[in-house]
Amino acid sequence: MTEPNYSACTSMLVGKKATVDGSTLIGRNEDAKAAWPKRFVVHDHQVASHPVVFQSTANGFQLDLPNEAAKYTATPEWTTSEGLFEEDGINEHGVAMSATESTYANDAVLGCDPLVPDGIGEEAMVTVVLPYVKSAREGVQRLGEIVSTKGVSETNGVLFSDDQEVWYFEIGSGHQWVAQLIPDDCYAVVANQMAIEKVDFNDQANFQWAPQLTEFVTTNHLNPDRHGFNFRHIFGTRTQMDTYYNTPRVWYGQKMFTPDVDQDPTSQDLPFLRKSDRLLSATDVQNLLNSHYQGTEFDPVGTGSEFDKHRFRPMSFAKTQEAHVLQLQADLPVEIGGIHWLSMGVGAESTFVPFFAGISETPVAYQYPVGHDYDPQSAYWNFKLVGILVDAHYHRFIGQVNDVQAELRQSYRQIINQTQAQVATSNDLVALANQASQQAAELALTRFQTLATRLITESADLSPLNYHQDLNL
């Protein structure tokens, strides 16, 4: 099966009563290109004295923006030539956003409401939404208004959260969309398919939608079901790509957290929402994003047959540029209660570093590169280098990576505990956030640089151009 040539991510959303500490969690792998560096930045709070207009460098999308923009974190590309692609962040009001989960609409709906070439796309969404909203619900409303009026250049899913609510926003065609509140005691795993199922138009607390959605579907005779309004059935696809590229990732995520449910990995009817068998943590979401069907015959680095090992597309992927988990905890100030967990490169071979939402700056290494090619000053390339070294001798080296990852997780937990314990006595939460985040980042970079040095040294005698003489000769 030929690999599709497009961005294709994996996402997870978790409600506050489904987590160990009452946090809300949203996370996603940004999968697009195997060597396409990312940066991590903080945009300061800004008040403009003149009109602000966003102009896309990707497709010409244009939007008038409010004069005041909140501070927010983001992970833009190394270049703006193809668009900003800021992808994920937490703003000063404690709103988190991740955009986007690429999804695909069927021909019938696109025939009635085509995509808009200069409409909003993934590359612009975080930039024109996150700085201008004060709650997850407001994020849904702002993006919804833009989609309805300006149209979209692609169909996508978008994740929003604050410390109380988690929303999944799904675009089904050029101007039609729906959003669903994730129940507090549930989680959802999404993998490049339309995911939202039954929409209750009498429940505006848990659903939002495009103003003309029902009229559009009715007028164009798009609903294949005799009863109800199932967004996935109406707008989604049921293709071979879904069977092998998409649904198995949802199956594996639900197998991880609701293991007693027996399901087929190629089922086109896996539920959008599930309840986990236990309370979940940020580490659990990270483990899902780092997974590759471990413990099954479908693991590409496992012991299954060659057919099974390459049958399904894994979550952790050679083309992952970065992965993130955005955590918001209600019982702490947003500066410290919000954590932007960020993994550069392939997650299974990298580490999720915790950055507190209150930071005013990112480490210098995360602001590189200024070019595309390998740069030892770049955080992205430092983590990517270890992955490249490991890939050449995976089974020989992956244990060392796992050991470093485990050591770092323990250290991160200590840093987080120590930082949150200082909240009541600190008179400068921004400085506290900067210090702790810098400490975690420096620790991660140092440990991975040391690991890379060791792997290079151990690789020196692993060349196929080698010869071991028979001592009996």
Side-chain angles (χ1 to χ4, degrees):
M1 183 176 177
T2 303
E3 178 187 309
N5 183 26
Y6 48 66
S7 176
C9 309
T10 306
S11 298
M12 185 170 179
L13 310 92
V14 190
K16 63 182 180 181
K17 291 184 179 178
T19 64
V20 293
D21 59 358
S23 297
T24 58
L25 298 167
I26 59 174
R28 182 173 61 89
N29 286 342
E30 181 191 355
D31 303 335
K33 301 179 183 181
W36 198 253
K38 298 293 294 188
R39 300 182 297 120
F40 180 47
V41 301
V42 178
H43 294 289
D44 292 333
H45 184 115
Q46 296 182 355
V47 179
S49 57
H50 52 80
V52 181
V53 179
F54 175 86
Q55 179 74 49
S56 171
T57 59
N59 69 341
F61 169 72
Q62 188 170 317
L63 184 70
D64 293 335
L65 297 176
N67 285 359
E68 185 168 7
K71 184 181 81 169
Y72 68 105
T73 56
T75 59
E77 310 276 61
W78 67 275
T79 174
T80 61
S81 63
E82 297 184 21
L84 291 175
F85 290 95
E86 293 203 300
E87 296 296 312
D88 48 279
I90 302 175
N91 74 17
E92 66 184 80
H93 303 297
V95 181
M97 179 179 178
S98 176
T100 66
E101 177 73 30
S102 298
T103 58
Y104 300 91
N106 62 61
D107 293 339
V109 297
L110 292 179
C112 298
D113 182 25
L115 299 176
V116 180
D118 62 350
I120 190 171
E122 173 178 345
E123 65 91 16
M125 286 185 181
V126 166
T127 309
V128 303
V129 174
L130 186 58
Y132 308 105
V133 296
K134 296 183 179 180
S135 71
R137 191 176 293 262
E138 280 188 25
V140 169
Q141 293 165 348
R142 177 169 173 78
L143 180 57
E145 181 180 0
I146 295 170
V147 172
S148 295
T149 58
K150 293 282 190 175
V152 296
S153 59
E154 58 203 14
T155 53
N156 285 308
V158 181
L159 295 68
F160 289 99
S161 64
D162 52 36
D163 61 21
Q164 297 298 317
E165 295 187 338
V166 177
W167 284 85
Y168 188 60
F169 181 110
E170 203 154 54
I171 302 165
S173 62
H175 301 83
Q176 303 302 325
W177 59 272
V178 71
Q180 183 172 0
L181 178 70
I182 305 300
D184 289 345
D185 60 351
C186 290
Y187 72 90
V189 176
V190 189
N192 303 128
Q193 291 172 288
M194 298 294 175
I196 294 174
E197 298 175 283
K198 182 181 177 181
V199 179
D200 185 348
F201 293 103
N202 294 314
D203 184 3
Q204 295 187 35
N206 291 289
F207 292 92
Q208 297 186 57
W209 54 87
Q212 305 302 319
L213 178 59
T214 56
E215 179 183 348
F216 167 76
V217 170
T218 301
T219 301
N220 291 288
H221 310 290
L222 295 171
N223 192 345
D225 298 331
R226 288 186 172 89
H227 306 287
F229 190 103
N230 187 308
F231 193 82
R232 184 193 299 181
H233 290 175
I234 297 167
F235 288 86
T237 57
R238 296 174 73 91
T239 66
Q240 283 292 95
M241 187 184 75
D242 291 321
T243 301
Y244 295 101
Y245 200 80
N246 300 332
T247 62
R249 286 178 278 155
V250 178
W251 166 79
Y252 190 74
Q254 295 185 0
K255 179 180 174 66
M256 287 179 66
F257 306 121
T258 316
D260 293 338
V261 176
D262 186 21
Q263 301 180 124
D264 187 322
T266 63
S267 170
Q268 298 279 2
D269 298 306
L270 299 175
F272 174 47
L273 300 172
R274 280 287 189 200
K275 293 184 179 181
S276 59
D277 286 6
R278 55 184 174 80
L279 295 175
L280 303 176
S281 67
T283 301
D284 288 311
V285 181
Q286 293 164 18
N287 288 341
L288 180 278
L289 299 179
N290 287 346
S291 66
H292 42 87
Y293 304 115
Q294 299 97 305
T296 77
E297 65 269 33
F298 310 122
D299 187 348
V301 290
T303 58
S305 68
E306 286 305 304
F307 172 77
D308 282 336
K309 287 197 295 184
H310 303 288
R311 188 178 177 192
F312 301 143
R313 189 269 213 208
M315 277 67 75
S316 191
F317 197 45
K319 291 179 173 56
T320 301
Q321 296 169 267
E322 56 87 19
H324 51 272
V325 177
L326 308 178
Q327 179 178 13
L328 295 165
Q329 193 168 336
D331 59 354
L332 290 166
V334 63
E335 291 87 351
I336 303 299
I339 300 179
H340 189 148
W341 295 89
L342 182 60
S343 167
M344 290 289 198
V346 179
E349 301 163 336
S350 184
T351 179
F352 279 88
V353 181
F355 292 92
F356 288 98
I359 58 174
S360 61
E361 59 186 5
T362 59
V364 172
Y366 280 82
Q367 298 174 37
Y368 279 87
V370 293
H372 169 267
D373 295 337
Y374 172 77
D375 183 341
Q377 298 183 81
S378 157
Y380 170 89
W381 278 115
N382 271 272
F383 295 116
K384 189 74 175 177
L385 174 61
V386 166
I388 292 168
L389 294 169
V390 168
D391 286 343
H393 310 283
Y394 186 86
H395 292 290
R396 185 183 183 107
F397 289 155
I398 192 60
Q400 294 185 53
V401 177
N402 294 158
D403 288 344
V404 170
Q405 290 171 329
E407 293 169 9
L408 286 171
R409 282 194 297 270
Q410 295 171 33
S411 297
Y412 299 152
R413 173 49 56 192
Q414 294 170 11
I415 292 170
I416 291 169
N417 289 345
Q418 292 167 2
T419 302
Q420 292 180 341
Q422 298 177 59
V423 167
T425 57
S426 174
N427 57 9
D428 191 342
L429 294 181
V430 172
L432 183 63
N434 282 334
Q435 186 276 327
S437 301
Q438 182 75 33
Q439 181 184 358
E442 288 179 355
L443 184 63
L445 285 167
T446 298
R447 293 294 288 115
F448 266 72
Q449 288 165 351
T450 300
L451 176 59
T453 299
R454 188 165 69 242
L455 296 181
I456 291 171
T457 304
E458 292 184 24
S459 297
D461 199 36
L462 299 179
S463 170
L465 295 176
N466 219 325
Y467 179 77
H468 299 283
Q469 182 173 342
D470 187 339
L471 297 179
N472 294 320
L473 294 178

